[in-house]
Amino acid sequence: MPTDVLQPTIFLSYAHHDRVKAQRLAAALDRAGYTVWWDGLIEGGAQFDKSIRDALDAADAVVVLWSKHSVESDWVRDEAAQGRDRRRLVPLSLDGSAPPLGFRQYQMIDVSGWRGKAGAPELGAIRRAIASAVGQEPPVPPAAASLISRRGALLTGAGAAVALAGGGALVAWETGLLGPGQAQAASIAVLPFKNLGGDPRQAFVADGMTEEVRSALSRNARLMVLAATSSNTVRDQPLDAQSIARKLGVIYLLEGSVQRAGNIVRVAINLTNGKSGFSEWSQRVDRPLDDIFAFESEVAHMVSNALSVQMATDAPAPGGTRNVAAYEAYVRGKALYNAAKGEDSDREARANFEVAIAADPNFALAHAALSRVLSSIAASSAQASELKPLYTAAVAEAQRAIELAPTQPQGQLALGYAKFAGFLDVRGARPCYDKAYQYGRGDADIVLLYAVYTARTGHFREARDAIDRALALDPLNARTYRAAGAIAYASRRYPEAIARAQRALELNPKLSGANATIGDSLKMLGRLPDARAAYMKEPSAMFRLRGLAVLEHRAANQPAADRALSQLVGEVGDAAMYQQAEVMAQWGKADEAMARLQRAREIGDSGLSLIATDPMLDPIAKDRRFVRFVKDLGFV
């Protein structure tokens, strides 16, 4: 096929039950001028995994064939995930099957009726989707009636169909269909509002406004609202609206500015179409600071109307305040907590939340935030003697938040987290996590922690669906990829765990825990030198020393293993009691492992939340004492 444009290289992902259809499509794409890789090309004797990995890395686009078989295939999901993460995914439906959660934000092309004809509209639609995914002009003018999946229609905003900037695919959030005649769900990034007051000490007001508007929008199930971490990656970058939308992979951008004068806040807001670069809607209003929560919900309602996406309710989000001092302390605390700079910032955040509650004891969001920071301090920096008091206080604050605002997801999440991490109350935590997920499915933080909980309790299918959703909501957040890696590791999917953790480190090279996940996975795969290198890069002494103690024993270097364990005990102490039990299990010392697990339970070590799915404990998994211990904790 003559062309002036270098045709992309295509990786074809499919389930082997669909091999005949995949081969037919590969042949058609090859005739159209593309270089197509599919596993039928692997030469005899080649390393299968390496060949696939190399082909995925080299491909310009990943064409995935979804079917009732491939949605159940771990291989296909992993290959599709790499295409999605690179924003080079072109999904097709062979039989009308819906893709798994985490892949529904991309519009599928239905090829169930295609019979292999080169001039069929299905093939033209595929070629246009590939061109859009790799940033090329469509090879032919779009057909009058583009082929799209049965599951959705194009988003109509201001009367025009809008394609997803940056991925070339069409947005299909949630079910992909809102109902007959209704608009498709939209994706939007709320960019950091600018502080125009001239006083940098007032920047927290703009940051608080940004976060609460984003939170209010995320309550709308018909919107995909990009999470804060991903949205903030473009802060202060000299990019135009179209470039920002393309980088973030969203259709719309919401920008704003905040200027405070005493108790009055002037807010200017602008909604931009990231495809065209033109403003779709703008508003400027003056409001008293004590009416700010109601105003933030009002903004969400106005934006939804501008997108022709109706919200389920016009009511303000529950749990806010009309007390100016309480609001100021709350948003200061949130800024400190979100900064995640360590123990000092967490304890300062705690103080601000306590000030907010003192100013307004009925401020439910502040109670929920205080609960989360208390649990965070307990998990990351507290001494063993502090654990139970901190978690007890965290439970009390979360319960108060729920009393004040039962449908507020933050309170439900805080209670579930404190019960599970602090008291190993597995059964008691489950209803809280379920309600948090029910009320906060648009909030990436809530979805992420729900995924972690379901993974640690052995519900891996739920965990994978939830973490895919979290990655869709927050695709540039290193913590989300770290959690995805941990979930893959717990489910014994070690290559996937390595890939997820490596992506986390690409986004944040200083992130703790990710190198440990890589080291643990490599150790389980028997790649000891690579595992040692990963452990040595781990900034957390707890995870680094635990990993080295296990690895050196496996490498028959017991003196080095003993030194690592001695350092773990000396530097981290009883706070690493669970990690000491992992070492003993890996060393084949079941009695000592059980003794340390019992001690971990006595001091309230949150590491025990890993016990039901921890590969490090596999050597004692069938020990009757261990089985009974896990059952007593409520995991079975």
Side-chain angles (χ1 to χ4, degrees):
M1 182 186 69
T3 179
D4 296 328
V5 179
L6 183 64
Q7 293 289 60
T9 298
I10 306 301
F11 181 97
L12 194 61
S13 177
Y14 66 99
H16 280 281
H17 189 279
D18 302 317
R19 184 180 179 87
V20 173
K21 294 179 181 178
Q23 186 173 11
R24 183 170 62 192
L25 178 60
L29 292 173
D30 182 71
R31 288 193 299 270
Y34 298 101
T35 299
V36 184
W37 192 99
W38 62 300
D39 62 14
L41 301 177
I42 297 179
E43 298 178 0
Q47 293 183 0
F48 192 80
D49 290 355
K50 185 177 187 303
S51 297
I52 290 178
R53 184 169 62 250
D54 291 346
L56 265 173
D57 290 342
D60 296 307
V62 178
V63 175
V64 60
L65 308 184
W66 292 120
S67 70
K68 65 181 181 180
H69 305 288
S70 63
V71 296
E72 299 295 332
S73 168
D74 292 340
W75 281 103
V76 174
R77 290 171 68 132
D78 289 348
E79 292 161 1
Q82 182 157 335
R84 178 197 61 199
D85 295 346
R86 293 171 56 201
R87 301 207 175 274
R88 295 298 179 91
L89 182 65
V90 177
L92 314 183
S93 177
L94 292 178
D95 56 10
S97 295
L101 283 175
F103 300 96
R104 297 181 183 178
Q105 70 270 37
Y106 292 97
Q107 177 65 44
M108 287 196 304
I109 298 171
D110 189 346
V111 296
S112 58
W114 183 57
R115 296 295 179 264
K117 292 184 179 179
E122 292 91 340
L123 192 59
I126 295 169
R127 292 176 59 202
R128 290 192 295 276
I130 292 171
S132 183
V134 301
Q136 293 182 355
E137 292 296 320
V140 293
S146 296
L147 185 74
I148 62 173
S149 166
R150 291 195 295 250
R151 294 184 59 80
L154 301 184
L155 167 70
T156 55
V162 182
L164 173 64
L170 299 171
V171 173
W173 185 241
E174 285 297 338
T175 62
L177 189 64
L178 304 182
Q182 298 188 48
Q184 189 77 21
S187 58
I188 184 169
V190 181
L191 303 183
F193 285 16
K194 295 180 175 63
N195 171 35
L196 300 184
D199 183 355
R201 294 174 298 177
Q202 294 295 317
F204 71 89
V205 177
D207 291 340
M209 172 72 74
T210 307
E211 183 166 348
E212 296 307 324
V213 166
R214 184 183 293 115
S215 178
L217 281 168
S218 70
R219 296 170 60 211
N220 190 339
R222 294 170 172 82
L223 289 176
M224 190 188 91
V225 184
L226 203 67
T229 303
S230 294
S231 299
N232 290 347
T233 57
V234 297
R235 185 193 288 267
D236 300 325
Q237 291 190 13
L239 301 173
D240 59 31
Q242 290 169 298
S243 298
I244 291 174
R246 188 159 49 247
K247 179 175 181 177
L248 298 180
V250 297
I251 298 175
Y252 287 102
L253 303 174
L254 185 68
E255 304 169 271
S257 63
V258 178
Q259 188 170 6
R260 180 179 179 182
N263 193 39
I264 300 299
V265 179
R266 170 166 291 179
V267 183
I269 305 169
N270 183 63
L271 180 68
T272 302
N273 184 316
K275 182 70 172 178
S276 68
F278 294 119
S279 174
E280 299 264 339
W281 168 84
S282 63
Q283 184 79 288
R284 189 177 74 173
V285 295
D286 294 344
R287 285 295 176 90
L289 195 59
D290 61 9
D291 196 31
I292 204 70
F293 274 103
F295 173 61
E296 287 155 353
S297 293
E298 183 182 332
V299 169
H301 178 67
M302 290 187 291
V303 171
S304 296
N305 283 345
L307 295 175
S308 301
V309 180
Q310 185 177 359
M311 293 190 72
T313 176
D314 295 340
T321 185
R322 295 182 64 88
N323 184 295
V324 174
Y327 176 78
E328 288 181 332
Y330 170 74
V331 294
R332 281 196 186 98
K334 289 286 287 184
L336 288 162
Y337 181 68
N338 291 339
K341 292 182 178 179
E343 180 181 358
D344 290 343
S345 65
D346 278 353
R347 293 189 184 277
E348 193 175 346
R350 172 185 179 177
N352 275 277
F353 294 141
E354 288 171 344
V355 169
I357 292 167
D360 181 358
N362 295 323
F363 190 179
L365 281 170
H367 284 285
L370 178 56
S371 175
R372 284 290 304 279
V373 78
L374 289 168
S375 293
S376 178
I377 291 169
S380 62
S381 58
Q383 298 297 315
S385 60
E386 297 179 287
L387 295 177
K388 285 189 177 180
L390 283 167
Y391 280 120
T392 298
V395 167
E397 293 296 337
Q399 288 173 332
R400 179 60 177 152
I402 293 171
E403 289 173 8
L404 293 166
T407 62
Q408 178 201 87
Q410 290 84 356
Q412 298 286 353
L413 178 71
L415 182 57
Y417 184 84
K419 282 186 171 185
F420 183 51
F423 296 98
L424 274 300
D425 185 359
V426 181
R427 297 186 184 93
R430 180 74 202 219
C432 304
Y433 275 102
D434 286 343
K435 289 177 182 177
Y437 195 50
Q438 175 187 349
Y439 301 138
R441 287 170 63 86
D443 186 314
D445 183 50
I446 289 170
V447 175
L448 172 63
L449 290 177
Y450 176 83
V452 171
Y453 169 80
T454 50
R456 291 184 179 181
T457 53
H459 298 91
F460 290 122
R461 184 63 180 268
E462 293 176 61
R464 291 184 62 195
D465 286 345
I467 199 62
D468 284 345
R469 183 185 184 88
L471 288 168
L473 287 167
D474 206 1
L476 300 177
N477 189 339
R479 293 186 300 108
T480 309
Y481 278 96
R482 178 178 63 185
I487 290 169
Y489 171 72
S491 57
R492 279 66 175 172
R493 298 162 55 84
Y494 301 126
E496 179 187 341
I498 294 168
R500 297 295 202 189
Q502 286 174 335
R503 177 58 178 153
L505 290 168
E506 289 173 5
L507 293 167
N508 180 1
K510 297 181 180 180
L511 188 69
S512 67
N515 276 299
T517 295
I518 294 172
D520 292 344
S521 300
L522 289 168
K523 196 275 295 184
M524 294 298 178
L525 293 171
R527 295 167 57 183
L528 301 189
D530 293 335
R532 183 181 290 107
Y535 285 136
M536 293 304 294
K537 296 176 184 177
E538 173 55 50
S540 168
M542 178 186 292
F543 298 127
R544 181 180 66 255
L545 295 170
R546 183 270 279 147
L548 289 171
V550 168
L551 179 139
E552 297 298 356
H553 174 81
R554 174 81 173 270
N557 188 356
Q558 194 59 41
D562 290 337
R563 285 195 299 272
L565 177 60
S566 179
Q567 283 184 267
L568 177 65
V569 174
E571 293 183 21
V572 188
D574 284 358
M577 191 59 64
Y578 178 80
Q579 284 71 30
Q580 295 176 36
E582 289 180 305
V583 173
M584 292 297 103
Q586 287 289 308
W587 286 10
K589 297 183 177 182
D591 292 345
E592 294 184 39
M594 290 306 306
R596 282 170 168 78
L597 288 174
Q598 185 59 48
R599 176 60 181 152
R601 185 177 187 180
E602 291 169 1
I603 65 177
D605 189 338
S606 60
L608 285 168
S609 63
L610 301 166
I611 194 171
T613 60
D614 187 353
M616 287 287 184
L617 298 179
D618 282 352
I620 62 171
K622 295 183 180 180
D623 188 303
R624 286 180 294 177
R625 295 170 298 173
F626 179 79
V627 173
R628 185 166 59 251
F629 186 85
V630 173
K631 185 176 182 180
D632 288 345
L633 289 175
F635 281 98
V636 180

